[in-house]
């Protein structure tokens, strides 16, 4: 099966930056500029469109400060979509609108308690599905995902995650069997057989890249990482992500690629 994170993709779900975004869950105290976050989100959306994706918008909701991080609400596996059960209470209702839209597009399944999962913990690499066991995602979710995918060729592999919010904060798939990662956050032996780009120290944030139709979007200001990705033969575009970084989010978090 071809990867859903890379290769040829046509549509992305996105959700507007809410007025309340500066009250999102986060681990730093830097002031968030919501208007600037909106401009960066616009640039992000424009970049996806330029790379050939059409956008499907989820209705915005100012009562959900983290709702622009739509990746965490659902995961798509070909014609199936799994709606997440999000552990953090203030985010749990984000799935309501996403489930409505997804129900029109895909055969949907729900992750149910006691399982909790955020989409940012699910890294799909061809027929392997790595699931970060993190502060947000537990082993019950792995069991339920395995059930959803039991009639597919996909192999679900749990991976303990440390130091970062989600597995994809530390590792993303670029396509052509190459992943990019920052060391020290999970056991990289699980990635056996794959090409690996290790982000240099100080550029850890750049490990969350978004590969779309042969182009890799990376966060602006990571020159060494850019060189490494280009050396592997990928075309690279940079996007300013300062306001999403302050909210502990990165490039993959702002969309669900279908
Ligand atoms: C949160 O803590 O849930 C949000 N402020 C950030 C979520 C980022 N999402 C992602 O990495 N997939």
């Amino acid at each position: 099966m071809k990867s859903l994170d890379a290769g040829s993709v046509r549509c992305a779900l996105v959700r507007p930056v809410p007025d309340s975004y500066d009250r999102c869950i986060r681990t730093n105290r830097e002031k968030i500029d919501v208007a600037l976050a909106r401009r960066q989100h616009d640039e992000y959306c424009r970049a996806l469109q330029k790379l050939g994706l059409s956008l499907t918008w989820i209705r915005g909701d100012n009562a959900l400060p983290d709702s622009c991080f739509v990746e965490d609400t659902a995961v798509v596996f070909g014609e199936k979509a799994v709606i997440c059960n999000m552990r953090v209470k203030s985010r749990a209702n984000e799935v309501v609108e996403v489930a409505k839209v997804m129900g029109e597009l895909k055969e949907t399944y729900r992750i149910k308690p006691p399982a909790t999962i955020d989409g940012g913990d699910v890294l799909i690499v061809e027929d392997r599905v790595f699931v970060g066991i993190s502060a947000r995602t537990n082993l019950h979710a792995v069991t339920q995902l395995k059930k959803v995918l039991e009639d597919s060729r996909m192999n679900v592999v749990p991976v303990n995650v440390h130091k970062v919010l989600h597995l994809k904060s530390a590792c993303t798939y670029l396509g052509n069997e190459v992943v990019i990662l920052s060391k020290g956050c999970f056991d990289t032996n699980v990635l056996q057989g794959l090409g690996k780009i290790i982000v240099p120290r100080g550029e850890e944030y750049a490990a969350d890249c978004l590969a779309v139709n042969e182009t890799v979007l990376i966060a602006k200001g990571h020159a060494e990482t850019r060189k490494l990705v280009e050396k592997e033969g990928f075309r690279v575009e940079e996007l300013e992500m300062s306001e999403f970084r302050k909210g502990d989010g990165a490039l993959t978090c702002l969309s669900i690629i279908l």
Side-chain angles (χ1 to χ4, degrees):
M1 184 184 287
K2 224 173 166 0
S3 165
L4 303 163
D5 272 11
S8 178
V9 286
R10 296 218 305 251
C11 173
L13 299 194
V14 288
R15 195 166 195 179
V17 176
D19 293 346
S20 55
Y21 175 59
D22 55 349
R23 299 199 297 277
C24 70
I25 309 160
R26 61 205 195 101
T27 50
N28 71 76
R29 301 213 162 267
E30 280 179 82
K31 190 172 164 28
I32 289 180
D33 180 336
V34 178
L36 180 55
R38 288 215 168 97
R39 291 200 291 280
Q40 292 176 357
H41 193 266
D42 287 348
E43 285 299 317
Y44 177 89
C45 291
R46 256 195 295 278
L48 296 187
Q49 286 175 308
K50 274 204 326 224
L51 293 173
L53 300 190
S54 64
L55 302 183
T56 297
W57 285 89
I58 308 291
R59 196 169 58 82
D61 189 339
N62 291 328
L64 299 170
D66 285 284
S67 50
C68 52
F69 297 123
V70 68
E71 167 180 57
D72 292 321
T73 60
V75 185
V76 172
F77 302 95
E79 287 316 304
K80 294 181 180 179
V82 171
I83 308 297
C84 296
N85 178 38
M86 302 178 74
R87 177 165 184 180
V88 174
K89 275 211 168 61
S90 67
R91 299 201 62 187
N93 284 337
E94 289 179 27
V95 302
V96 175
E97 283 300 313
V98 174
K100 281 186 203 159
V101 173
M102 205 58 104
E104 301 287 314
L105 303 170
K106 301 284 175 187
E107 183 188 333
T108 57
Y109 298 79
R110 283 205 177 248
I111 297 293
K112 300 193 182 96
T116 63
I117 187 165
D118 277 5
D121 272 317
V122 183
L123 169 66
I124 303 168
V125 181
E126 306 300 334
D127 56 3
R128 288 191 263 178
V129 181
F130 300 102
V131 181
I133 304 304
S134 69
R136 303 285 176 88
T137 300
N138 62 22
L139 279 168
H140 297 290
V142 172
T143 306
Q144 291 184 27
L145 269 184
K146 282 187 174 166
K147 186 94 189 112
V148 171
L149 297 174
E150 68 187 350
D151 60 354
S152 76
R153 285 178 38 222
M154 304 200 93
N155 188 22
V156 183
V157 183
V159 185
N160 289 322
V161 173
H162 324 278
K163 296 193 210 156
V164 285
L165 180 58
H166 292 124
L167 177 59
K168 281 162 87 172
S169 317
C171 184
T172 44
Y173 183 44
L174 304 184
N176 299 338
E177 311 243 318
V178 177
V179 291
I180 183 164
L181 63 101
S182 83
K183 276 182 126 173
C185 305
F186 66 101
D187 179 2
T188 56
N189 288 322
V190 296
L191 303 173
Q192 232 181 358
L194 295 168
K196 296 176 197 69
I197 298 174
I198 317 280
V199 298
R201 197 182 276 182
E203 296 203 2
E204 290 81 359
Y205 181 67
D208 186 304
C209 292
L210 183 60
V212 180
N213 296 338
E214 316 299 332
T215 293
V216 175
L217 297 174
I218 75 167
K220 203 170 194 152
H222 300 90
E224 294 308 310
T225 303
R226 177 179 188 144
K227 278 186 217 152
L228 293 173
V229 175
E230 284 176 335
K231 207 164 135 209
E232 281 294 324
F234 295 98
R235 185 178 168 273
V236 173
E237 274 181 37
E238 294 183 32
L239 286 174
E240 182 55 76
M241 293 293 291
S242 66
E243 302 315 292
F244 299 109
R245 184 176 185 169
K246 292 174 189 170
D248 294 339
L251 279 155
T252 60
C253 315
L254 296 176
S255 58
I256 300 174
I257 306 289
L258 306 184

